[in-house]
Amino acid sequence: GDSVTQMEGPVTLSEEAFLTINCTYTATGYPSLFWYVQYPGEGLQLLLKATKADDKGSNKGFEATYRKETTSFHLEKGSVQVSDSAVYFCALSASGGSYIPTFGRGTSLIVHP
Amino acid sequence: EAGVAQSPRYKIIEKRQSVAFWCNPISGHATLYWYQQILGQGPKLLIQFQNNGVVDDSQLPKDRFSAERLKGVDSTLKIQPAKLEDSAVYLCASSLSGAGNQPQHFGDGTRLSIL
């Protein structure tokens, strides 16, 4: 079946550091890929998405590139802020007939001033 | 636009009791999802509706969980009887359509504690 694997957290960084959160996937067909973010006390919200190979999704300074050859969708940000502290979820929606979503287990990011 | 509404926000019950959750999706969204999120894990899809039909319920424990979306708008998820391992946050989400490139919009969830 489809699956998403994210790096274990928590990831702890100082403000203005570079961020990478790794995400790899297994899916049939050509899935769409998503990053969702959950800020403390809030619901999940879409951060960015990519729907085909080599697409780059971007939002709020975050970027992720859909790499079909390595089945990866790593999240990056050049300079994190304290306000980026949250849990980040990588997800896919596979294209084998019905689009059934699959989520990773989430990676907690803690940014210190 | 109004977001996905869920109620209640919190629920505490004893094992073997029953409980129901309600979800009202964003207006015009055809697809509705119910997820179970256990602490420290990602959301696990329980059931996906397209209008009032079920697209997937392969991970729904059908001996105790049921869900309906009778008029293709709001939805209820029921657990009867509850077990200790059902303690989790239950999330509802909706999307404009079931197409794979459509993002989901999530409600704030219902935190269920089983004593």
Side-chain angles (χ1 to χ4, degrees):
Chain A
D2 300 336
S3 67
V4 175
T5 303
Q6 291 182 234
M7 61 188 290
E8 292 277 340
V11 173
T12 304
L13 296 172
S14 297
E15 207 165 23
E16 298 183 4
F18 184 85
L19 168 71
T20 300
I21 299 178
N22 291 337
C23 171
T24 57
Y25 67 90
T26 302
T28 54
Y30 302 95
S32 293
L33 301 174
F34 305 85
W35 277 101
Y36 288 86
V37 59
Q38 187 171 29
Y39 297 104
E42 299 184 15
L44 277 82
Q45 56 186 275
L46 178 71
L47 181 59
L48 53 84
K49 70 174 186 179
T51 58
K52 61 183 187 295
D54 300 324
D55 266 3
K56 178 185 285 188
S58 62
N59 186 26
K60 299 182 180 179
F62 291 88
E63 293 183 339
T65 301
Y66 189 146
R67 302 286 188 198
K68 187 171 182 294
E69 64 276 12
T70 55
T71 62
S72 65
F73 193 54
H74 304 321
L75 182 68
E76 297 182 335
K77 187 176 185 182
S79 175
V80 293
Q81 305 299 312
V82 172
S83 57
D84 294 326
S85 298
V87 181
Y88 293 81
F89 294 91
C90 185
L92 67 81
S93 183
S95 61
S98 302
Y99 294 98
I100 308 303
T102 302
F103 281 77
R105 63 185 302 131
T107 302
S108 175
L109 170 66
I110 301 169
V111 181
H112 294 294
Chain B
E1 67 181 2
V4 176
Q6 286 189 249
S7 66
R9 286 298 309 276
Y10 305 93
K11 191 73 177 178
I12 301 173
I13 62 172
E14 295 186 348
K15 60 183 179 183
R16 291 187 289 274
Q17 286 187 323
S18 63
V19 64
F21 312 125
W22 174 82
C23 173
N24 193 28
I26 292 173
S27 177
H29 279 198
T31 308
L32 186 147
Y33 312 80
W34 282 105
Y35 292 89
Q36 181 192 60
Q37 186 177 18
I38 293 172
L39 188 64
Q41 299 183 19
K44 182 181 88 170
L45 181 70
L46 294 175
I47 189 166
Q48 179 178 341
F49 291 96
Q50 180 74 14
N51 296 308
N52 60 352
V54 176
V55 174
D56 184 86
D57 62 357
S58 58
Q59 298 192 94
L60 186 74
K62 297 180 186 65
D63 58 333
R64 297 184 301 106
F65 286 63
S66 64
E68 60 183 14
R69 193 185 185 200
L70 291 176
K71 296 182 180 179
V73 181
D74 58 347
S75 175
T76 56
L77 175 70
K78 297 179 182 177
I79 308 175
Q80 182 179 7
K83 292 185 174 180
L84 292 175
E85 62 258 34
D86 298 333
S87 293
V89 175
Y90 291 84
L91 298 170
C92 179
S94 70
S95 63
L96 193 59
S97 75
N101 61 354
Q102 289 292 318
Q104 296 176 58
H105 300 260
F106 285 83
D108 289 337
T110 296
R111 184 175 298 276
L112 176 65
S113 297
I114 312 295
L115 304 179

